Amino acid sequence: CRQLFRSPSVPSGVPRPTLKRGQPLDRDTPVKAKQQRRVAGSPDQEALVELGMWLEPSRCAQFEEIRSLLANDDQELIGDFSKPHLLPMVEGKDPGLKYISPGTLAAVLMGHFSSFIESSIVVDCRYPYEYEGGHIKGAVNLPLQRDVDEFLLEQPMVPLDASKRVIVIFHCEFSVERGPKMCKFLRERDRSCHEYPQLHYPELYVLKGGYREFFFQFPSHCEPRDYRPMEHQAFKEELRKFRGHSR
């Protein structure tokens, strides 16, 4: 496959926080729609890439399929314009953000993209009582902007292997308000720390449907295996308190 541009260098002496890693998942539903992708090195041929195949570890073509997606000129570039987005995206509410399906997140957690990803950080933007009532395995709970600042920017995650990626995936209960807002906040703060277009975290995603949709599709990837809504009757006081902190 043709050579991809490398990401701009970032400081190498920055310590890396230890993340609890979850085990990725599988596709939400069997993917029937096939996307046409051009085969790298064969400009006159078209190949049908079935995204659902990424979730089948026995399929030996998985590596080359992902590689062909990376080599596709039609892919949108990540935030520092160094390479195309790795994960297949779906349409979301905010056209300025990149959304992935619950099935794609499951695939990441199960390691189907491990040849390309060094660290995947799932950021749960829900309030602590929601997180404690059930969350995606390995997700970190960062409900406030200062939490994101401290965890992701004070000691940025830098890949040890320059050919691999660090990706960040945000979500809240429905990924309609808190998750998307926090994703935008990180990008804005990250931009302010660098000379354009360099970034610590050029590849950001939002989980479409949020924890609620993910839990109903992949409960085995959640701990505890439960779902506590934001407006739970037993946590009215906590909701009032955290809404005040968020303003």
Side-chain angles (χ1 to χ4, degrees):
C1 293
R2 88 183 144 72
Q3 192 75 16
L4 297 174
F5 290 107
R6 291 187 180 277
S7 304
S9 60
V10 286
S12 60
V14 183
R16 295 165 53 81
T18 301
L19 288 179
K20 177 183 175 184
R21 297 199 180 192
Q23 292 299 311
L25 22 160
D26 49 73
R27 267 314 235 173
D28 34 338
T29 54
V31 177
K32 298 187 186 215
K34 294 183 179 180
Q35 300 185 351
Q36 287 190 339
R37 304 289 189 191
R38 182 170 299 168
V39 177
S42 304
D44 298 324
Q45 298 178 3
E46 294 291 331
L48 292 176
V49 176
E50 188 172 357
L51 299 181
M53 291 172 64
W54 293 353
L55 305 176
E56 303 173 22
S58 62
R59 305 296 288 269
C60 63
Q62 173 183 324
F63 182 85
E64 289 304 324
E65 288 174 358
I66 298 177
R67 185 188 292 277
S68 70
L69 283 177
L70 294 176
N72 190 333
D73 290 331
D74 296 330
Q75 291 287 295
E76 287 191 68
L77 299 180
I78 60 177
D80 62 6
F81 312 120
S82 62
K83 57 177 71 75
H85 284 83
L86 174 65
L87 304 182
M89 293 172 286
V90 295
E91 185 177 352
K93 180 180 179 181
D94 190 328
L97 299 175
K98 308 305 178 186
Y99 292 81
I100 61 171
S101 71
T104 295
L105 175 54
V108 171
L109 297 178
M110 290 190 298
H112 292 285
F113 294 90
S114 59
S115 296
F116 301 95
I117 297 175
E118 183 168 303
S119 298
S120 56
I121 309 166
V122 179
V123 178
D124 189 331
C125 301
R126 296 176 302 155
Y127 302 136
Y129 67 88
E130 297 173 82
Y131 177 86
E132 293 163 3
H135 58 270
I136 297 169
K137 292 178 181 178
V140 291
N141 188 210
L142 306 177
L144 303 176
Q145 291 182 353
R146 66 170 179 261
D147 299 325
V148 170
D149 241 338
E150 292 172 2
F151 188 85
L152 293 174
L153 294 175
E154 288 189 5
Q155 294 183 319
M157 299 282 292
V158 180
L160 298 177
D161 183 343
S163 68
K164 291 193 173 185
R165 309 173 184 226
V166 172
I167 66 170
V168 187
I169 303 166
F170 291 84
H171 77 83
C172 52
E173 184 175 3
F174 304 105
S175 287
V176 171
E177 183 175 354
R178 291 174 289 175
K181 281 185 177 180
M182 201 68 81
C183 183
K184 289 181 177 180
F185 169 76
L186 176 60
R187 175 52 53 82
E188 291 170 0
R189 290 283 292 115
D190 203 354
R191 284 279 187 220
S192 70
C193 298
H194 293 85
E195 181 178 343
Y196 188 86
Q198 295 185 13
L199 292 164
H200 284 309
Y201 303 102
E203 194 157 2
L204 307 180
Y205 298 96
V206 174
L207 172 63
K208 186 173 183 179
Y211 180 75
R212 181 181 186 277
E213 186 63 29
F214 185 88
F215 172 73
F216 287 133
Q217 292 189 31
F218 302 101
S220 64
H221 291 285
C222 302
E223 59 180 9
R225 193 178 295 194
D226 203 355
Y227 162 44
R228 181 178 292 164
M230 181 183 71
E231 296 187 350
H232 193 289
Q233 292 299 308
F235 296 91
K236 288 184 177 180
E237 182 59 27
E238 286 86 346
L239 174 59
R240 185 194 64 78
K241 179 181 70 175
F242 279 101
R243 275 182 166 168
H245 288 323
S246 299
R247 291 194 181 95

